[in-house]
Amino acid sequence: MAIDIVLVNPLFIEKDPVEKKIMTPYFPLGLMYLASVLRDNGYEVELFDCTFRKDFDEFEDYMRKKKPKLVGITSLITIRRNALIIADIAHRYGAKVIIGGPDPTALPERYLLYKGTNNTFPVDAVVFDEGEITMLELANFYLEKGDRPDNIREIAGLRIRDENGRIISTGHRELIKDLDAIPFPARDLVDMDDYRRAWKKAHGYWSLTIINSRGCPYHCSWCQKAVFGRKYRIRTPENSADEMKHIKEIYSPDFIRVVDDITGVQKNWVLRWSEEVLNRNAIIPFECLTRVNLVSEDMLKALKDMGCKKIYLGVESGSQKVLDAMEKGITIQQIYKASELCKKFGIKTYFFMMVGYPGEDIDDLKLTAKLLRETLPDEFSTTIAYPLPGTKFYEQVRDRLMFDSQEWMLDWDYTAENKLLFKREKYNTTFYRWVVRWLNREWKDAWFKAGKEANLLEKFRNKVELILSKAIVNLLAKVSNSNVIQFQPAEGR
């Protein structure tokens, strides 16, 4: 059967040492949602998943055999290079190429002005913000089906090139108000056996994703709100519970990750969601992310009742000064309270921490170490702050960026690489590397003192490394005067 549209996930685990190490692959839900909408409107759609493939040759073979007329590609800054190579291949085989996702939304010029084979532009359009309706209208336009506009400029939500090569906008695309109206993601178009085997081999269980809401109403200065924006929308609890029951019956995953930016913006929604899941016998163990200021006893009880095992919390820092600079909108007291409540309900915690934000000094880092020791999260990771285009943080350090905004070689080689560098007031690469080691040793030492089982050698080694790393951090804080830093964010962030 002829294929009208292929949607491509351009992440190759084989090419990414960090993804290969952590081995927690999830197919992007965004492409699955696009596929379900397109399919419901009569198009023959396939999903081409690079996750477990070896190289681009396999996509070229696919294009040679299937010759789809329209190719849609999702992209993040970390896989931009892959996305552009795939776009060039698709263009060579005569397909119209559409790209969407957070990075194209934030920096459409990186894609629309990219020149591939024979010095031609392979990308025809960038979908800006939410993509389901925009992609459907593009399919109608290019494939001459449905309600076809006469001109691509009539399709809202795009960035395209005009006749002079300039990038223009086709206007704002209204966000989908009724999320229940979108069919469930087309998971059946993905080979779930590959994912099941990879997860089971690496972790002994396997996991799928689900999303209940779109958008985040908060204003953290470093957070890129591309695609869904700040306007918060949510499905009905009944619709989400129906999908969980469907997933449980069809795929039987051991675990689910709820990938909402925030769970619990509307507490009453969570309480109803729990009831609906319990009523349908749709319980699947899961993890989610929320904010410390939203954590409450009744919300945690509802989450626990329906299977919540772990909550990710964007803690970021133990310094109120730094949290305020980030416009995080939380307090240190709320962090302690949220941690205490999660322990009360037996829900594990994972803290996202961040160091290196402008204005932070050694005293702020000591407060972060103190917080980690006293709250004892079950897990945490530390990111060294880096400015994403389109954020307030990016604008704050724009005059100190250490790269040319028009430089195509900015493309990252793997997901934990970071080329978004900027000059800092003080502290260099070595300093921050030792900070990350120090924070990890402080946290481990506190766990050992709290009674965590470990042999004497492990405890002794950690104590020695704690003393050493803390001493080096303090020394470097006194002597460091470099204003140049190169760093990498923590794995899995």
Side-chain angles (χ1 to χ4, degrees), residues 220-275:
C220 303
S221 61
W222 42 262
C223 186
Q224 188 186 65
K225 291 295 189 294
V227 181
F228 292 146
R230 299 190 186 279
K231 187 174 180 180
Y232 185 77
R233 295 157 292 144
I234 195 164
R235 305 157 66 183
T236 62
E238 294 83 359
N239 184 258
S240 175
D242 285 342
E243 185 179 356
M244 289 184 68
K245 183 174 179 63
H246 171 77
I247 290 172
K248 184 176 182 178
E249 292 176 348
I250 302 300
Y251 301 103
S252 301
D254 302 304
F255 207 72
I256 280 183
R257 183 168 195 175
V258 180
V259 296
D260 298 44
D261 287 335
I262 304 172
T263 294
V265 172
Q266 298 174 4
K267 183 176 69 173
N268 287 337
W269 187 95
V270 175
L271 304 185
R272 290 172 51 209
W273 182 39
S274 180
E275 290 178 2

Side-chain angles (χ1 to χ4, degrees), residues 37-104:
V37 169
L38 291 166
R39 189 166 59 179
D40 274 13
N41 282 272
Y43 288 102
E44 292 297 329
V45 185
E46 288 189 354
L47 294 174
F48 188 92
D49 187 8
C50 296
T51 302
F52 302 106
R53 299 178 186 270
K54 301 298 182 185
D55 212 328
F56 300 101
D57 292 344
E58 294 183 67
F59 180 69
E60 184 148 7
D61 289 341
Y62 176 90
M63 291 298 302
R64 185 183 300 112
K65 294 173 184 176
K66 296 293 187 76
K67 295 183 172 59
K69 299 176 183 177
L70 189 60
V71 174
I73 308 167
T74 188
S75 184
L76 303 167
I77 190 170
T78 53
I79 52 174
R80 182 193 299 153
R81 177 178 295 160
N82 293 358
L84 290 172
I85 291 172
I86 287 170
D88 192 41
I89 293 170
H91 176 70
R92 292 205 311 267
Y93 284 89
K96 293 295 183 181
V97 178
I98 312 300
I99 289 188
D103 190 50

